[in-house]
Amino acid sequence: MKLQTLLAALEQPPVAFHRVGNEPEAVEVRALAYDSRQVQAGGMFIAVPGTHTDGKCFLADAARRGAVVALGEPFQEESLLSSLPLPYIEVRDVRTALANLACAFYGYPARHLCTIGVTGTDGKTTTSNLISAILEVAGRCTGLMTTVNFKVCGQEWENATRQSTLEALEVQQFLRRALDAGASHAVIEATSHGLELRRVHGCDFDVGVVTNITHEHLDFHKTIEGYRRAKARLFEMLDTKRDKGLGVQPVAILNRDDVSYEVLKPYCHVPVLDYAIDQPAAVCAVDLQLNADSTRFRAVLRGSEKFNLANAEIVIETLLIGRFNVSNCLAAIAATYSQGIAARDIADGLAKVGGISGRMERINAGQPFSVIVDYAHTPDSLRKVLAILRPLTIGKLMVVFGSAGERDLHKRPIMGQIAAEMTDFFVITDEDPRDEDRERILDDIARGAEVAGKRRGHDFLCIADRTEAIAVAFAHARVGDTILLAGKGHEQSILIGGEKLPWDDRQVAREQLRLAGYDLTV
Ligand SMILES: Nc1ncnc2c1ncn2[C@@H]1O[C@H](COP(=O)(O)OP(=O)(O)OP(=O)(O)O)[C@@H](O)[C@H]1O
Ligand SMILES: [Mg+2]
């Protein structure tokens, strides 16, 4: 694609163009890259500022790898401009520019897809997977991008990037891939980071879904208002005037049970379809049966002229457990029902989902106590998971958990307090300490537990090594107890110091159970 064609796609024209030698406008740009190590000969390098380094430091590397032009924000030091290794285009907002360029480079795939964005503190991956399963059962070829998995028209692969919402370049590339494979719909998990950093800019969302908004990521967004504001962006992006010619119904799916409803409603310029368990709403759940290994309820859908929907009732049976999964199901029902998916397909789609990797996953090696791996890593999700497990536990309820390094420091004592109040015994351990002092993270969590009246070494332990922590918890378990391993879920690595070490809670749990004498495979 010609450089001038790409530049014409920018929402805001460049503020300066620092040429090096001849005129590059007519140059053919063969690829885009924001990581200099990914630059290809004939490519454009987009210098994005990161949390640790600034892309502008890698211009020479990009040039060495064959980049023909670079684009980024203005240089603070004018003196550097005289020694640029390649032509440099200055823009005010490089993240929006990256999204604009990616959309143009991949031919604006979102314009030809019904795009569904799912945001919220907890439940995004689950809800996204549920929506995609329903659409597939209804015969719609679908693209899906989440923390855990990617899917294009039934072909699925793991998300090994440790990032929930990828950069705009990968998002647009994915949408193009889905469209080329014949997809009519795309479901994209949109985190608050992703929204704030313009990663989903250009996705032209038709449907916006929110699960809930609670305390998390406050280090990044500074205040709960900033965090809510980031989530609101998804809803601001919905537009009734956008006509893709696909017969899609622009709609905002909001949770009436959650504080986010009142916060987000003013940002919605499209019709709102609400869902709830505890309040009257367009999509409601009644007659909940929350079993140990399945859930059953009736979804009552109120007809709406606005959406051209009739009244309906659907009996839902799902293998997902716990009240919050009823909420996730309702969000998925509302999203798909609003797009004209039949009640039968909704029920079949939800029934088809066996479980989401690392979410409430049972590990059974024949031991007389329950071991459950779950991704709960926020105060709200930890509280909800423990509340689900308590009535399902005859004996003691225990949890092994930690809190990530360099992330949301505020939540650490809160997590400690929740474990103190809701379990009988717990082990505080590593999650992903990154470059932080591991013991300090454990101490931060322990402080919350101590304030809640628990004694270290007696009511709980701090063991940084996660394998040892799991082994010690298993050694404490008796018949009828439940041990929750929280915070790592599906993840395949643990970040300690600068290292990314292989890790899988489920595998470690099985191995420790085997060492404790349990082994279903023998
Ligand atoms: N609706 C919900 N409300 C509260 N907690 C939930 C909800 N749905 C799932 N959870 C809990 O949160 C954990 C993560 O679920 P899920 O992966 O679906 O959320 P997510 O929003 O995608 O998380 P992340 O932001 O880390 O990608 C689950 O393992 C479960 O403990
Ligand atoms: Mg997720």
Side-chain angles (χ1 to χ4, degrees):
M1 182 172 280
K2 289 255 183 301
L3 177 60
Q4 59 203 25
T5 314
L6 275 174
L7 294 185
L10 295 176
E11 274 167 58
Q12 292 203 322
V15 287
F17 196 152
H18 303 286
R19 294 158 203 278
V20 174
N22 50 11
E23 306 290 308
E25 274 90 343
V27 87
E28 196 68 31
V29 174
R30 298 227 187 91
L32 306 178
Y34 57 85
D35 178 336
S36 65
R37 291 163 298 185
Q38 306 291 326
V39 166
Q40 295 174 23
M44 176 194 246
F45 173 57
I46 297 114
V48 179
T51 25
H52 294 296
T53 51
D54 187 345
K56 289 208 280 300
C57 303
F58 300 95
L59 294 181
D61 188 39
R64 207 168 22 240
R65 290 173 195 263
V68 286
V69 62
L71 179 143
E73 290 179 1
F75 276 91
Q76 299 304 327
E77 295 165 61
E78 295 266 323
S79 59
L80 293 173
L81 293 172
S82 57
S83 57
L84 283 173
L86 76 175
Y88 187 80
I89 300 164
E90 280 186 7
V91 291
R92 282 209 198 292
D93 173 3
V94 69
R95 292 199 154 275
T96 302
L98 173 61
N100 296 155
L101 295 170
C103 289
F105 192 80
Y106 289 107
Y108 298 97
R111 292 183 182 169
H112 311 285
L113 292 161
C114 169
T115 46
I116 302 169
V118 181
T119 196
T121 307
D122 296 303
K124 299 179 292 296
T125 296
T126 307
T127 303
S128 301
N129 271 276
L130 295 175
I131 294 172
S132 147
I134 294 170
L135 292 170
E136 279 175 5
V137 162
R140 310 296 200 277
C141 182
T142 305
L144 170 72
M145 282 189 108
T146 81
T147 320
V148 174
N149 54 348
F150 301 120
K151 230 175 177 184
V152 171
C153 304
Q155 188 202 347
E156 185 171 6
W157 67 103
E158 189 189 315
N159 177 356
T161 67
R162 302 259 337 208
Q163 204 168 309
S164 292
T165 308
L166 303 189
E167 293 295 344
L169 190 59
E170 283 92 19
V171 172
Q172 295 302 322
Q173 186 183 33
F174 179 85
L175 293 179
R176 167 49 61 188
R177 177 171 174 174
L179 188 62
D180 287 348
S184 57
H185 292 67
V187 188
I188 300 162
E189 176 167 346
T191 59
S192 51
H193 277 66
L195 287 159
E196 195 63 31
L197 299 177
R198 307 291 189 274
R199 291 176 184 161
V200 291
H201 193 74
C203 283
D204 292 355
F205 287 117
D206 300 295
V207 181
V209 182
V210 67
T211 53
N212 46 66
I213 299 186
T214 54
H215 177 279
E216 205 205 6
H217 298 318
L218 290 188
D219 51 346
F220 178 79
H221 298 285
K222 306 296 181 240
T223 61
I224 191 89
E225 283 72 33
Y227 182 51
R228 286 175 181 159
R229 186 78 195 73
K231 303 278 188 206
R233 277 186 195 283
L234 175 65
F235 296 91
E236 288 175 319
M237 288 162 83
L238 305 175
D239 183 359
T240 35
K241 291 191 283 298
R242 190 185 295 132
D243 185 10
K244 296 184 179 175
L246 302 171
V248 295
Q249 168 73 55
V251 59
I253 310 292
L254 301 186
N255 183 354
R256 249 283 146 91
D257 288 330
D258 189 66
V259 288
S260 59
Y261 180 84
E262 296 299 338
V263 176
L264 297 175
K265 190 133 194 291
Y267 295 97
C268 298
H269 310 297
V270 298
V272 170
L273 197 64
D274 54 0
Y275 66 93
I277 304 174
D278 299 324
Q279 315 278 331
V283 178
C284 279
V286 294
D287 299 341
L288 273 60
Q289 291 173 31
L290 305 170
N291 308 318
D293 44 19
S294 69
T295 301
R296 195 186 151 97
F297 65 93
R298 275 191 306 125
V300 181
L301 302 123
R302 197 197 303 143
S304 151
E305 273 182 30
K306 212 166 20 184
F307 295 101
N308 196 18
L309 296 175
N311 286 328
E313 244 190 63
I314 320 174
V315 175
I316 304 293
E317 283 176 329
T318 164
L319 293 171
L320 302 186
I321 63 167
R323 197 178 161 83
F324 62 65
N325 276 318
V326 174
S327 197
N328 295 338
C329 285
L330 290 177
I333 295 169
T336 47
Y337 196 59
S338 74
Q339 300 307 308
I341 302 295
R344 186 71 259 150
D345 291 333
I346 292 177
D348 290 350
L350 293 178
K352 211 187 84 180
V353 178
I356 314 284
S357 179
R359 273 89 186 133
M360 293 305 230
E361 196 173 326
R362 264 176 206 281
I363 307 298
N364 194 357
Q367 76 281 5
F369 50 88
S370 297
V371 175
I372 289 169
V373 171
D374 188 80
Y375 195 43
H377 57 278
T378 66
D380 189 52
S381 58
L382 185 63
R383 193 179 289 117
K384 285 184 177 163
V385 171
L386 291 172
I388 290 167
L389 295 178
R390 175 59 81 187
L392 305 177
T393 305
I394 310 159
K396 292 197 297 303
L397 177 58
M398 304 183 228
V399 61
V400 178
F401 74 108
S403 205
E406 300 171 16
R407 300 280 186 280
D408 201 0
L409 276 52
H410 308 75
K411 78 175 177 192
R412 293 177 188 168
I414 306 174
M415 305 277 285
Q417 186 189 342
I418 291 167
E421 289 170 358
M422 300 188 69
T423 71
D424 304 301
F425 181 75
F426 53 99
V427 186
I428 303 173
T429 188
D430 276 350
E431 198 181 284
D432 285 306
R434 296 191 172 80
D435 280 326
E436 262 196 75
D437 177 353
R438 301 159 80 182
E439 300 293 340
R440 234 205 71 198
I441 300 177
L442 271 52
D443 288 345
D444 287 346
I445 302 171
R447 208 168 311 121
E450 282 159 355
V451 169
K454 296 287 172 172
R455 278 178 302 153
R456 189 171 179 153
H458 187 262
D459 305 309
F460 71 94
L461 302 173
C462 289
I463 305 173
D465 182 88
R466 197 166 168 105
T467 306
E468 194 188 333
I470 290 172
V472 168
F474 287 174
H476 270 74
R478 300 287 173 267
V479 179
D481 291 350
T482 296
I483 301 182
L484 170 69
L485 309 180
K488 296 294 293 173
H490 65 288
E491 287 181 351
Q492 294 294 297
S493 58
I494 188 161
L495 310 171
I496 301 179
E499 283 193 285
K500 183 175 176 180
L501 306 170
W503 183 268
D504 184 332
D505 255 7
R506 297 155 300 185
Q507 210 178 313
V508 174
R510 277 191 206 101
E511 176 62 12
Q512 291 308 315
L513 288 170
R514 196 182 60 76
L515 292 173
Y518 309 106
D519 193 356
L520 273 187
T521 59
V522 290

